[in-house]
């Protein structure tokens, strides 16, 4: 069985007051999921926006990955219970 698909994703980053927030949106064509992540700059650290972007985006992707796994596990369970 051969299968090809394209999933679309977008990453949005917002920084304010040494806090970076990330939102990752995934559209599989049949399902839309959104992951969220936050990074806070320690007051004693230098303000390097790229680091905040990376951490917040990574955390949002981890959140999205967890949601995607839960979705897959639910689909697996449903497939096993079909007559």
């Amino acid at each position: 069985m051969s299968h090809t698909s394209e999933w679309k994703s977008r990453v949005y980053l917002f920084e304010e007051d040494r806090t970076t927030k990330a939102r990752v949106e995934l559209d599989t064509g049949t399902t839309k999921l959104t992951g969220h992540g936050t990074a806070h700059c320690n007051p004693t650290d230098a303000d390097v926006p790229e680091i905040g972007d990376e951490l917040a985006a990574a955390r949002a992707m981890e959140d999205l990955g967890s949601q995607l796994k839960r979705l897959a596990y639910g689909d697996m369970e449903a497939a096993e219970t079909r007559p």
Side-chain angles (χ1 to χ4, degrees), residues 35-36 55:
H36 299 275
L55 283 172

Side-chain angles (χ1 to χ4, degrees), residues 9 18 55:
S9 64
R18 298 174 67 91
L55 283 172

Side-chain angles (χ1 to χ4, degrees), residues 24-68:
V24 177
E25 297 176 353
L26 176 68
D27 183 351
T28 69
T30 57
T31 303
K32 292 183 180 182
L33 298 172
T34 304
H36 299 275
T38 303
H40 303 280
C41 184
N42 187 307
T44 61
D45 291 341
D47 189 9
V48 183
E50 183 177 337
I51 295 171
D53 291 351
E54 292 166 348
L55 283 172
R59 291 171 178 159
M61 289 180 190
E62 287 173 338
D63 179 38
L64 184 65
S66 294
Q67 293 178 49
L68 197 54

